[in-house]
Short mmCIF file of all heavy atoms in Angstrom, two decimals:
data_model
loop_
_atom_site.label_atom_id
_atom_site.label_comp_id
_atom_site.label_asym_id
_atom_site.label_seq_id
_atom_site.Cartn_x
_atom_site.Cartn_y
_atom_site.Cartn_z
N MET A 1 -4.56 -4.55 4.51
CA MET A 1 -3.14 -4.61 4.62
C MET A 1 -2.51 -5.61 3.73
O MET A 1 -1.35 -5.37 3.35
CB MET A 1 -2.71 -4.79 6.10
CG MET A 1 -2.97 -3.66 7.06
SD MET A 1 -2.16 -2.19 6.52
CE MET A 1 -0.51 -2.48 6.94
N ILE A 2 -3.14 -6.68 3.50
CA ILE A 2 -2.63 -7.71 2.62
C ILE A 2 -2.55 -7.17 1.15
O ILE A 2 -1.52 -7.37 0.46
CB ILE A 2 -3.42 -9.02 2.66
CG1 ILE A 2 -3.29 -9.62 4.01
CG2 ILE A 2 -3.02 -9.98 1.56
CD1 ILE A 2 -4.22 -10.80 4.30
N ALA A 3 -3.55 -6.46 0.81
CA ALA A 3 -3.52 -5.88 -0.57
C ALA A 3 -2.48 -4.82 -0.66
O ALA A 3 -1.80 -4.67 -1.68
CB ALA A 3 -4.84 -5.19 -0.79
N SER A 4 -2.08 -4.10 0.47
CA SER A 4 -1.09 -3.15 0.41
C SER A 4 0.26 -3.76 0.34
O SER A 4 1.15 -3.33 -0.41
CB SER A 4 -1.16 -2.37 1.86
OG SER A 4 0.00 -1.46 1.85
N ILE A 5 0.46 -4.92 0.95
CA ILE A 5 1.75 -5.68 0.78
C ILE A 5 1.80 -6.16 -0.62
O ILE A 5 3.00 -6.12 -1.25
CB ILE A 5 1.76 -6.86 1.85
CG1 ILE A 5 1.86 -6.32 3.24
CG2 ILE A 5 2.89 -7.75 1.56
CD1 ILE A 5 1.66 -7.34 4.31
N VAL A 6 0.78 -6.69 -1.19
CA VAL A 6 0.87 -7.16 -2.62
C VAL A 6 1.23 -6.08 -3.55
O VAL A 6 2.07 -6.23 -4.48
CB VAL A 6 -0.37 -7.89 -2.97
CG1 VAL A 6 -0.45 -8.23 -4.43
CG2 VAL A 6 -0.58 -9.19 -2.15
N LEU A 7 0.50 -4.90 -3.39
CA LEU A 7 0.69 -3.80 -4.36
C LEU A 7 2.16 -3.27 -4.09
O LEU A 7 2.88 -2.81 -4.99
CB LEU A 7 -0.22 -2.71 -4.06
CG LEU A 7 -1.64 -2.90 -4.50
CD1 LEU A 7 -2.63 -1.87 -4.01
CD2 LEU A 7 -1.66 -3.09 -5.99
N GLY A 8 2.66 -3.30 -2.84
CA GLY A 8 4.10 -2.82 -2.64
C GLY A 8 5.07 -3.82 -3.30
O GLY A 8 6.07 -3.38 -3.80
N THR A 9 4.81 -5.01 -3.24
CA THR A 9 5.68 -6.05 -3.93
C THR A 9 5.67 -5.78 -5.42
O THR A 9 6.78 -5.69 -6.09
CB THR A 9 5.19 -7.43 -3.68
OG1 THR A 9 5.15 -7.63 -2.34
CG2 THR A 9 6.15 -8.44 -4.30
N PHE A 10 4.54 -5.46 -6.05
CA PHE A 10 4.40 -5.27 -7.52
C PHE A 10 5.16 -3.89 -7.76
O PHE A 10 5.83 -3.66 -8.81
CB PHE A 10 2.99 -5.17 -7.97
CG PHE A 10 2.33 -6.44 -8.09
CD1 PHE A 10 1.05 -6.54 -7.87
CD2 PHE A 10 3.00 -7.58 -8.36
CE1 PHE A 10 0.29 -7.79 -7.95
CE2 PHE A 10 2.42 -8.88 -8.49
CZ PHE A 10 1.12 -8.94 -8.26
N GLY A 11 5.07 -2.97 -6.83
CA GLY A 11 5.74 -1.73 -6.99
C GLY A 11 7.24 -1.80 -7.02
O GLY A 11 7.97 -1.26 -7.81
N ILE A 12 7.76 -2.68 -6.03
CA ILE A 12 9.19 -2.86 -5.95
C ILE A 12 9.75 -3.65 -7.27
O ILE A 12 10.73 -3.13 -7.78
CB ILE A 12 9.62 -3.71 -4.76
CG1 ILE A 12 9.39 -2.83 -3.51
CG2 ILE A 12 10.97 -4.18 -4.82
CD1 ILE A 12 9.52 -3.55 -2.18
N VAL A 13 8.98 -4.59 -7.62
CA VAL A 13 9.38 -5.41 -8.87
C VAL A 13 9.36 -4.39 -10.13
O VAL A 13 10.40 -4.33 -10.98
CB VAL A 13 8.54 -6.60 -9.09
CG1 VAL A 13 8.79 -7.18 -10.45
CG2 VAL A 13 8.77 -7.55 -8.02
N GLY A 14 8.35 -3.63 -10.23
CA GLY A 14 8.21 -2.74 -11.45
C GLY A 14 9.25 -1.63 -11.45
O GLY A 14 9.81 -1.35 -12.40
N THR A 15 9.54 -1.14 -10.23
CA THR A 15 10.50 -0.14 -10.12
C THR A 15 11.98 -0.66 -10.38
O THR A 15 12.82 -0.04 -11.13
CB THR A 15 10.53 0.58 -8.79
OG1 THR A 15 9.22 1.03 -8.53
CG2 THR A 15 11.48 1.75 -8.67
N LEU A 16 12.26 -1.87 -9.84
CA LEU A 16 13.48 -2.42 -10.16
C LEU A 16 13.72 -2.78 -11.60
O LEU A 16 14.84 -2.67 -12.17
CB LEU A 16 13.74 -3.66 -9.23
CG LEU A 16 14.00 -3.42 -7.82
CD1 LEU A 16 14.07 -4.70 -7.06
CD2 LEU A 16 15.20 -2.51 -7.57
N ILE A 17 12.66 -3.27 -12.26
CA ILE A 17 12.78 -3.62 -13.74
C ILE A 17 12.87 -2.33 -14.59
O ILE A 17 13.64 -2.23 -15.52
CB ILE A 17 11.55 -4.37 -14.13
CG1 ILE A 17 11.56 -5.81 -13.57
CG2 ILE A 17 11.48 -4.48 -15.62
CD1 ILE A 17 10.38 -6.68 -13.81
N GLY A 18 12.23 -1.25 -14.07
CA GLY A 18 12.30 0.02 -14.85
C GLY A 18 13.45 0.81 -14.72
O GLY A 18 13.65 1.85 -15.35
N MET A 19 14.35 0.51 -13.77
CA MET A 19 15.58 1.26 -13.62
C MET A 19 16.48 1.12 -14.80
O MET A 19 16.56 0.19 -15.38
CB MET A 19 16.41 0.80 -12.35
CG MET A 19 15.67 1.11 -11.02
SD MET A 19 16.42 0.38 -9.54
CE MET A 19 18.08 0.88 -9.75
N GLN A 20 17.06 2.31 -15.18
CA GLN A 20 17.92 2.32 -16.36
C GLN A 20 19.21 1.43 -16.22
O GLN A 20 19.84 1.06 -17.21
CB GLN A 20 18.29 3.74 -16.74
CG GLN A 20 17.09 4.51 -17.21
CD GLN A 20 17.43 5.91 -17.75
OE1 GLN A 20 18.58 6.25 -17.73
NE2 GLN A 20 16.38 6.60 -18.21
N CYS A 21 19.62 1.30 -15.03
CA CYS A 21 20.84 0.44 -14.82
C CYS A 21 20.73 -0.99 -14.83
O CYS A 21 21.60 -1.76 -14.75
CB CYS A 21 21.48 0.91 -13.41
SG CYS A 21 20.52 0.61 -11.92
N SER A 22 19.41 -1.45 -14.82
CA SER A 22 19.15 -2.90 -14.73
C SER A 22 19.26 -3.49 -16.24
O SER A 22 18.91 -2.83 -17.22
CB SER A 22 17.83 -3.27 -14.24
OG SER A 22 16.72 -2.80 -15.00
N LYS A 23 19.67 -4.74 -16.31
CA LYS A 23 19.73 -5.39 -17.64
C LYS A 23 18.41 -6.00 -18.07
O LYS A 23 18.25 -6.36 -19.21
CB LYS A 23 20.75 -6.44 -17.52
CG LYS A 23 22.19 -6.02 -17.21
CD LYS A 23 22.83 -5.33 -18.32
CE LYS A 23 24.18 -4.92 -17.84
NZ LYS A 23 24.83 -4.10 -18.82
N ILE A 24 17.46 -6.12 -17.12
CA ILE A 24 16.12 -6.70 -17.39
C ILE A 24 15.33 -5.73 -18.28
O ILE A 24 15.17 -4.60 -18.02
CB ILE A 24 15.34 -7.01 -16.18
CG1 ILE A 24 16.14 -7.96 -15.27
CG2 ILE A 24 14.01 -7.63 -16.45
CD1 ILE A 24 15.51 -8.09 -13.82
N GLY A 25 14.80 -6.30 -19.32
CA GLY A 25 13.98 -5.39 -20.24
C GLY A 25 14.80 -4.83 -21.47
O GLY A 25 14.19 -4.17 -22.30
N GLY A 26 16.11 -5.15 -21.53
CA GLY A 26 16.78 -4.63 -22.74
C GLY A 26 17.18 -3.17 -22.57
O GLY A 26 17.33 -2.52 -21.54
N GLU A 27 17.37 -2.56 -23.80
CA GLU A 27 17.76 -1.26 -23.83
C GLU A 27 16.73 -0.26 -24.20
O GLU A 27 17.03 0.89 -24.67
CB GLU A 27 19.00 -1.09 -24.83
CG GLU A 27 20.20 -1.93 -24.48
CD GLU A 27 20.90 -1.40 -23.25
OE1 GLU A 27 21.03 -0.14 -23.13
OE2 GLU A 27 21.38 -2.25 -22.52
N ASN A 28 15.51 -0.64 -24.21
CA ASN A 28 14.35 0.19 -24.54
C ASN A 28 14.12 1.10 -23.35
O ASN A 28 13.32 0.71 -22.46
CB ASN A 28 13.17 -0.67 -24.98
CG ASN A 28 12.05 0.15 -25.53
OD1 ASN A 28 12.12 1.41 -25.53
ND2 ASN A 28 11.05 -0.42 -25.96
N TYR A 29 14.58 2.37 -23.27
CA TYR A 29 14.47 3.15 -22.14
C TYR A 29 13.08 3.82 -22.06
O TYR A 29 12.73 4.16 -20.97
CB TYR A 29 15.54 4.30 -22.21
CG TYR A 29 16.89 3.71 -21.99
CD1 TYR A 29 17.89 3.77 -23.01
CD2 TYR A 29 17.20 3.09 -20.85
CE1 TYR A 29 19.12 3.30 -22.77
CE2 TYR A 29 18.46 2.54 -20.67
CZ TYR A 29 19.47 2.67 -21.60
OH TYR A 29 20.63 2.09 -21.47
N VAL A 30 12.36 3.93 -23.17
CA VAL A 30 10.99 4.40 -23.07
C VAL A 30 10.08 3.44 -22.37
O VAL A 30 9.25 3.79 -21.44
CB VAL A 30 10.42 4.68 -24.54
CG1 VAL A 30 8.98 5.08 -24.48
CG2 VAL A 30 11.30 5.78 -25.11
N LEU A 31 10.28 2.12 -22.71
CA LEU A 31 9.51 1.08 -22.09
C LEU A 31 9.96 1.02 -20.61
O LEU A 31 9.02 0.83 -19.71
CB LEU A 31 9.70 -0.26 -22.77
CG LEU A 31 9.03 -1.44 -22.19
CD1 LEU A 31 7.50 -1.28 -22.25
CD2 LEU A 31 9.48 -2.74 -22.86
N LYS A 32 11.17 1.13 -20.31
CA LYS A 32 11.58 1.04 -18.90
C LYS A 32 11.08 2.24 -18.09
O LYS A 32 10.65 2.07 -16.90
CB LYS A 32 13.14 1.07 -18.82
CG LYS A 32 13.79 -0.24 -19.24
CD LYS A 32 15.21 -0.08 -19.13
CE LYS A 32 15.77 -1.55 -19.03
NZ LYS A 32 16.47 -1.82 -17.67
N GLY A 33 10.96 3.33 -18.70
CA GLY A 33 10.38 4.53 -18.00
C GLY A 33 8.93 4.35 -17.66
O GLY A 33 8.40 4.68 -16.64
N ARG A 34 8.16 3.73 -18.56
CA ARG A 34 6.78 3.43 -18.38
C ARG A 34 6.59 2.38 -17.33
O ARG A 34 5.68 2.47 -16.50
CB ARG A 34 6.06 3.00 -19.68
CG ARG A 34 5.94 4.16 -20.59
CD ARG A 34 5.25 3.69 -21.98
NE ARG A 34 5.16 4.77 -22.88
CZ ARG A 34 5.04 4.69 -24.14
NH1 ARG A 34 5.04 3.49 -24.69
NH2 ARG A 34 5.04 5.77 -24.92
N ILE A 35 7.52 1.37 -17.25
CA ILE A 35 7.38 0.31 -16.30
C ILE A 35 7.70 0.95 -14.91
O ILE A 35 7.13 0.63 -13.92
CB ILE A 35 8.34 -0.85 -16.58
CG1 ILE A 35 7.89 -1.60 -17.85
CG2 ILE A 35 8.51 -1.77 -15.42
CD1 ILE A 35 8.75 -2.66 -18.39
N ALA A 36 8.68 1.85 -14.83
CA ALA A 36 9.07 2.53 -13.58
C ALA A 36 7.84 3.39 -13.10
O ALA A 36 7.50 3.42 -11.89
CB ALA A 36 10.24 3.37 -13.74
N ALA A 37 7.19 4.01 -14.03
CA ALA A 37 5.97 4.81 -13.70
C ALA A 37 4.83 3.95 -13.19
O ALA A 37 4.19 4.39 -12.17
CB ALA A 37 5.54 5.63 -14.85
N ILE A 38 4.67 2.75 -13.71
CA ILE A 38 3.68 1.92 -13.29
C ILE A 38 4.03 1.33 -11.89
O ILE A 38 3.11 1.28 -11.01
CB ILE A 38 3.46 0.76 -14.27
CG1 ILE A 38 2.81 1.18 -15.54
CG2 ILE A 38 2.69 -0.44 -13.63
CD1 ILE A 38 2.78 0.21 -16.63
N GLY A 39 5.31 1.18 -11.63
CA GLY A 39 5.80 0.81 -10.22
C GLY A 39 5.40 1.96 -9.30
O GLY A 39 5.04 1.64 -8.11
N GLY A 40 5.63 3.18 -9.69
CA GLY A 40 5.24 4.31 -8.79
C GLY A 40 3.75 4.35 -8.56
O GLY A 40 3.34 4.70 -7.45
N VAL A 41 2.93 4.04 -9.54
CA VAL A 41 1.46 3.93 -9.26
C VAL A 41 1.14 2.88 -8.27
O VAL A 41 0.30 3.14 -7.44
CB VAL A 41 0.77 3.82 -10.65
CG1 VAL A 41 -0.67 3.51 -10.47
CG2 VAL A 41 0.90 4.97 -11.60
N PHE A 42 1.81 1.79 -8.44
CA PHE A 42 1.58 0.72 -7.34
C PHE A 42 1.98 1.31 -6.04
O PHE A 42 1.28 0.86 -5.06
CB PHE A 42 2.39 -0.60 -7.80
CG PHE A 42 1.72 -1.38 -8.77
CD1 PHE A 42 2.41 -1.81 -9.91
CD2 PHE A 42 0.45 -1.84 -8.56
CE1 PHE A 42 1.78 -2.58 -10.84
CE2 PHE A 42 -0.20 -2.66 -9.60
CZ PHE A 42 0.46 -2.98 -10.62
N PHE A 43 3.04 1.95 -5.87
CA PHE A 43 3.45 2.55 -4.60
C PHE A 43 2.35 3.48 -4.04
O PHE A 43 2.01 3.43 -2.82
CB PHE A 43 4.76 3.28 -4.64
CG PHE A 43 5.92 2.27 -4.62
CD1 PHE A 43 6.96 2.43 -5.51
CD2 PHE A 43 6.06 1.27 -3.72
CE1 PHE A 43 8.08 1.58 -5.49
CE2 PHE A 43 7.12 0.41 -3.64
CZ PHE A 43 8.14 0.56 -4.65
N ILE A 44 1.77 4.31 -4.90
CA ILE A 44 0.75 5.20 -4.44
C ILE A 44 -0.47 4.50 -4.10
O ILE A 44 -1.11 4.71 -2.92
CB ILE A 44 0.38 6.24 -5.59
CG1 ILE A 44 1.50 7.19 -5.81
CG2 ILE A 44 -0.84 7.05 -5.29
CD1 ILE A 44 1.43 8.10 -7.03
N LEU A 45 -0.82 3.40 -4.82
CA LEU A 45 -1.96 2.53 -4.36
C LEU A 45 -1.77 1.87 -3.07
O LEU A 45 -2.66 1.64 -2.26
CB LEU A 45 -2.37 1.56 -5.47
CG LEU A 45 -2.87 2.17 -6.78
CD1 LEU A 45 -3.10 1.04 -7.86
CD2 LEU A 45 -4.23 2.82 -6.48
N GLN A 46 -0.46 1.38 -2.88
CA GLN A 46 -0.15 0.79 -1.62
C GLN A 46 -0.31 1.85 -0.43
O GLN A 46 -0.83 1.39 0.63
CB GLN A 46 1.36 0.33 -1.66
CG GLN A 46 1.83 -0.28 -0.31
CD GLN A 46 3.31 -0.30 -0.23
OE1 GLN A 46 4.03 0.29 -0.95
NE2 GLN A 46 3.76 -1.04 0.80
N GLY A 47 0.08 3.00 -0.63
CA GLY A 47 -0.10 4.03 0.38
C GLY A 47 -1.56 4.26 0.73
O GLY A 47 -1.93 4.42 1.91
N LEU A 48 -2.39 4.31 -0.31
CA LEU A 48 -3.83 4.50 -0.12
C LEU A 48 -4.45 3.35 0.67
O LEU A 48 -5.27 3.54 1.56
CB LEU A 48 -4.45 4.72 -1.45
CG LEU A 48 -4.28 6.11 -2.08
CD1 LEU A 48 -4.93 6.10 -3.50
CD2 LEU A 48 -4.80 7.27 -1.24
N CYS A 49 -4.03 2.13 0.29
CA CYS A 49 -4.56 0.92 0.96
C CYS A 49 -4.14 0.91 2.41
O CYS A 49 -4.92 0.59 3.34
CB CYS A 49 -4.13 -0.32 0.28
SG CYS A 49 -4.99 -0.69 -1.26
N THR A 50 -2.92 1.20 2.66
CA THR A 50 -2.51 1.31 4.03
C THR A 50 -3.10 2.42 4.84
O THR A 50 -3.56 2.11 6.01
CB THR A 50 -0.95 1.55 4.13
OG1 THR A 50 -0.24 0.58 3.38
CG2 THR A 50 -0.39 1.58 5.51
N MET A 51 -3.38 3.49 4.28
CA MET A 51 -4.07 4.69 5.00
C MET A 51 -5.54 4.25 5.28
O MET A 51 -5.94 4.56 6.43
CB MET A 51 -4.01 5.90 4.03
CG MET A 51 -4.23 7.18 4.81
SD MET A 51 -3.76 8.66 3.87
CE MET A 51 -4.66 8.49 2.44
N ILE A 52 -6.16 3.62 4.40
CA ILE A 52 -7.58 3.17 4.68
C ILE A 52 -7.63 2.11 5.81
O ILE A 52 -8.43 2.14 6.64
CB ILE A 52 -8.11 2.63 3.30
CG1 ILE A 52 -8.39 3.67 2.30
CG2 ILE A 52 -9.42 1.77 3.57
CD1 ILE A 52 -8.80 3.27 0.93
N ALA A 53 -6.67 1.16 5.77
CA ALA A 53 -6.70 0.18 6.72
C ALA A 53 -6.36 0.64 8.09
O ALA A 53 -7.04 0.29 9.08
CB ALA A 53 -5.71 -0.99 6.33
N VAL A 54 -5.37 1.54 8.25
CA VAL A 54 -5.15 2.14 9.48
C VAL A 54 -6.16 2.97 9.98
O VAL A 54 -6.52 2.87 11.19
CB VAL A 54 -3.73 2.78 9.39
CG1 VAL A 54 -3.43 3.61 10.63
CG2 VAL A 54 -2.57 1.87 9.20
N SER A 55 -6.73 3.83 9.16
CA SER A 55 -7.83 4.66 9.65
C SER A 55 -9.05 3.93 10.00
O SER A 55 -9.72 4.30 11.05
CB SER A 55 -8.16 5.66 8.46
OG SER A 55 -7.07 6.47 8.14
N TRP A 56 -9.28 2.86 9.32
CA TRP A 56 -10.45 2.00 9.60
C TRP A 56 -10.25 1.34 11.04
O TRP A 56 -11.16 1.35 11.82
CB TRP A 56 -10.62 0.97 8.58
CG TRP A 56 -11.91 0.17 8.58
CD1 TRP A 56 -12.98 0.15 9.52
CD2 TRP A 56 -12.39 -0.67 7.56
NE1 TRP A 56 -13.98 -0.61 9.11
CE2 TRP A 56 -13.65 -1.18 7.93
CE3 TRP A 56 -11.81 -1.16 6.35
CZ2 TRP A 56 -14.40 -2.14 7.24
CZ3 TRP A 56 -12.56 -2.06 5.53
CH2 TRP A 56 -13.78 -2.46 6.03
N TYR A 57 -9.11 0.89 11.28
CA TYR A 57 -8.78 0.23 12.51
C TYR A 57 -8.91 1.21 13.67
O TYR A 57 -9.41 0.92 14.75
CB TYR A 57 -7.38 -0.50 12.44
CG TYR A 57 -7.06 -1.21 13.74
CD1 TYR A 57 -7.65 -2.43 13.97
CD2 TYR A 57 -6.17 -0.68 14.66
CE1 TYR A 57 -7.29 -3.08 15.21
CE2 TYR A 57 -5.73 -1.35 15.75
CZ TYR A 57 -6.38 -2.64 16.07
OH TYR A 57 -6.09 -3.33 17.18
N ALA A 58 -8.32 2.38 13.48
CA ALA A 58 -8.33 3.48 14.52
C ALA A 58 -9.80 3.90 14.76
O ALA A 58 -10.07 4.20 15.91
CB ALA A 58 -7.50 4.63 14.05
N ALA A 59 -10.61 3.96 13.72
CA ALA A 59 -12.04 4.38 13.95
C ALA A 59 -12.71 3.33 14.79
O ALA A 59 -13.60 3.59 15.64
CB ALA A 59 -12.70 4.59 12.63
N ASN A 60 -12.44 2.00 14.54
CA ASN A 60 -13.12 0.97 15.35
C ASN A 60 -12.64 1.02 16.77
O ASN A 60 -13.47 0.86 17.67
CB ASN A 60 -12.76 -0.43 14.72
CG ASN A 60 -13.50 -0.75 13.55
OD1 ASN A 60 -14.60 -0.13 13.26
ND2 ASN A 60 -13.08 -1.65 12.67
N ILE A 61 -11.37 1.31 17.03
CA ILE A 61 -10.90 1.39 18.38
C ILE A 61 -11.50 2.50 19.13
O ILE A 61 -11.94 2.46 20.26
CB ILE A 61 -9.34 1.46 18.39
CG1 ILE A 61 -8.66 0.11 17.89
CG2 ILE A 61 -8.77 1.72 19.72
CD1 ILE A 61 -8.97 -1.06 18.70
N THR A 62 -11.57 3.62 18.43
CA THR A 62 -12.20 4.87 19.05
C THR A 62 -13.62 4.64 19.33
O THR A 62 -14.13 5.13 20.36
CB THR A 62 -11.96 6.06 18.10
OG1 THR A 62 -10.48 6.17 17.83
CG2 THR A 62 -12.49 7.37 18.76
N GLN A 63 -14.37 4.01 18.41
CA GLN A 63 -15.83 3.78 18.61
C GLN A 63 -16.03 2.79 19.78
O GLN A 63 -16.96 3.05 20.70
CB GLN A 63 -16.31 3.11 17.28
CG GLN A 63 -17.91 2.92 17.41
CD GLN A 63 -18.41 2.27 16.11
OE1 GLN A 63 -17.58 1.76 15.24
NE2 GLN A 63 -19.68 2.29 15.92
N GLN A 64 -15.17 1.79 19.85
CA GLN A 64 -15.30 0.92 21.07
C GLN A 64 -14.97 1.61 22.38
O GLN A 64 -15.60 1.32 23.48
CB GLN A 64 -14.43 -0.42 20.93
CG GLN A 64 -14.94 -1.26 19.88
CD GLN A 64 -14.02 -2.45 19.65
OE1 GLN A 64 -12.87 -2.46 20.25
NE2 GLN A 64 -14.42 -3.38 18.72
N PHE A 65 -14.00 2.54 22.33
CA PHE A 65 -13.57 3.19 23.59
C PHE A 65 -14.66 4.07 24.10
O PHE A 65 -14.92 4.13 25.40
CB PHE A 65 -12.30 3.98 23.36
CG PHE A 65 -11.83 4.74 24.54
CD1 PHE A 65 -11.14 4.11 25.59
CD2 PHE A 65 -12.10 6.14 24.79
CE1 PHE A 65 -10.73 4.74 26.66
CE2 PHE A 65 -11.64 6.75 25.82
CZ PHE A 65 -10.97 6.07 26.80
N PHE A 66 -15.35 4.78 23.24
CA PHE A 66 -16.46 5.68 23.73
C PHE A 66 -17.71 5.06 23.79
O PHE A 66 -18.77 5.70 24.23
CB PHE A 66 -16.51 6.90 22.78
CG PHE A 66 -15.35 7.77 22.84
CD1 PHE A 66 -14.42 7.95 21.83
CD2 PHE A 66 -15.20 8.55 24.03
CE1 PHE A 66 -13.43 8.79 21.95
CE2 PHE A 66 -14.14 9.41 24.23
CZ PHE A 66 -13.17 9.53 23.14
N ASP A 67 -17.92 3.73 23.57
CA ASP A 67 -19.17 2.97 23.68
C ASP A 67 -19.37 2.66 25.12
O ASP A 67 -18.50 1.97 25.78
CB ASP A 67 -19.17 1.76 22.86
CG ASP A 67 -20.50 1.05 22.76
OD1 ASP A 67 -21.49 1.59 23.37
OD2 ASP A 67 -20.50 -0.14 22.27
N GLN A 68 -20.49 3.13 25.79
CA GLN A 68 -20.70 2.89 27.18
C GLN A 68 -21.00 1.36 27.45
O GLN A 68 -20.83 0.93 28.63
CB GLN A 68 -21.86 3.85 27.64
CG GLN A 68 -21.56 5.25 27.58
CD GLN A 68 -22.69 6.17 28.00
OE1 GLN A 68 -23.78 5.61 28.29
NE2 GLN A 68 -22.43 7.39 28.03
N PHE A 69 -21.58 0.77 26.51
CA PHE A 69 -22.11 -0.63 26.74
C PHE A 69 -21.03 -1.67 26.19
O PHE A 69 -21.34 -2.90 26.17
CB PHE A 69 -23.43 -0.86 25.96
CG PHE A 69 -24.40 0.01 26.47
CD1 PHE A 69 -25.01 1.06 25.70
CD2 PHE A 69 -24.98 -0.08 27.77
CE1 PHE A 69 -25.93 1.84 26.12
CE2 PHE A 69 -25.89 0.87 28.20
CZ PHE A 69 -26.43 1.82 27.37
N TYR A 70 -19.86 -1.20 25.93
CA TYR A 70 -18.79 -2.24 25.51
C TYR A 70 -18.35 -2.96 26.67
O TYR A 70 -18.00 -2.51 27.73
CB TYR A 70 -17.64 -1.42 24.89
CG TYR A 70 -16.50 -2.34 24.42
CD1 TYR A 70 -16.73 -3.16 23.31
CD2 TYR A 70 -15.24 -2.26 24.96
CE1 TYR A 70 -15.66 -4.08 22.84
CE2 TYR A 70 -14.26 -3.08 24.47
CZ TYR A 70 -14.46 -3.92 23.53
OH TYR A 70 -13.42 -4.74 22.98
N ALA A 71 -18.37 -4.33 26.57
CA ALA A 71 -18.02 -5.25 27.64
C ALA A 71 -16.55 -5.49 27.88
O ALA A 71 -16.14 -6.07 28.89
CB ALA A 71 -18.79 -6.53 27.47
N GLY A 72 -15.81 -5.11 26.88
CA GLY A 72 -14.44 -5.33 26.88
C GLY A 72 -13.60 -4.49 27.89
O GLY A 72 -14.13 -3.60 28.53
N ILE A 73 -12.25 -4.60 27.91
CA ILE A 73 -11.43 -3.83 28.79
C ILE A 73 -11.08 -2.47 28.04
O ILE A 73 -10.78 -2.51 26.89
CB ILE A 73 -10.07 -4.55 29.12
CG1 ILE A 73 -10.48 -5.84 29.91
CG2 ILE A 73 -9.15 -3.70 29.89
CD1 ILE A 73 -9.24 -6.65 30.08
N LYS A 74 -11.21 -1.42 28.81
CA LYS A 74 -10.80 -0.03 28.17
C LYS A 74 -9.51 0.36 28.69
O LYS A 74 -9.09 0.12 29.75
CB LYS A 74 -11.87 0.97 28.56
CG LYS A 74 -13.23 0.72 27.91
CD LYS A 74 -14.07 1.89 28.25
CE LYS A 74 -15.39 1.68 27.46
NZ LYS A 74 -16.31 2.71 27.70
#
C-alpha cells in the first residue's frame, strides 16, 4: 500500500504537469502529452499495487478463518 501511495503521488504530479492548461513545462505540448501519459502509467501501476495488497490481505484473512487450529478470535 505504501508503494501504491507513492505511485499515486507521482501520477498526480505527472498528470498535473502534463495538463495543457498548466504553465509548468513551457509550451511544448508534445512533451506535456508524454508526461501526462507517464502519469497515467503511474495511476495504472498504483491500481495494480492496491489490487495486489488488498487481495493478499483478504487471502490471509480467509486462510485464518478456515484454519481449524487458529488460536485467535473468529
Side-chain angles (χ1 to χ4, degrees):
M1 288 303 288
I2 294 171
S4 175
I5 292 169
V6 170
L7 288 171
T9 304
F10 287 149
I12 288 173
V13 170
T15 305
L16 289 176
I17 291 173
M19 291 174 50
Q20 290 184 2
C21 62
S22 69
K23 301 285 185 188
I24 302 171
E27 298 292 324
N28 189 354
Y29 293 117
V30 175
L31 179 63
K32 284 182 160 244
R34 289 181 182 156
I35 292 173
I38 290 171
V41 169
F42 278 128
F43 281 134
I44 291 171
L45 291 174
Q46 176 196 15
L48 287 174
C49 285
T50 302
M51 203 165 54
I52 289 169
V54 170
S55 298
W56 194 350
Y57 184 73
N60 285 338
I61 295 296
T62 306
Q63 184 180 14
Q64 288 176 356
F65 181 76
F66 288 114
D67 186 12
Q68 295 177 358
F69 301 111
Y70 181 66
I73 299 173
K74 290 186 179 182

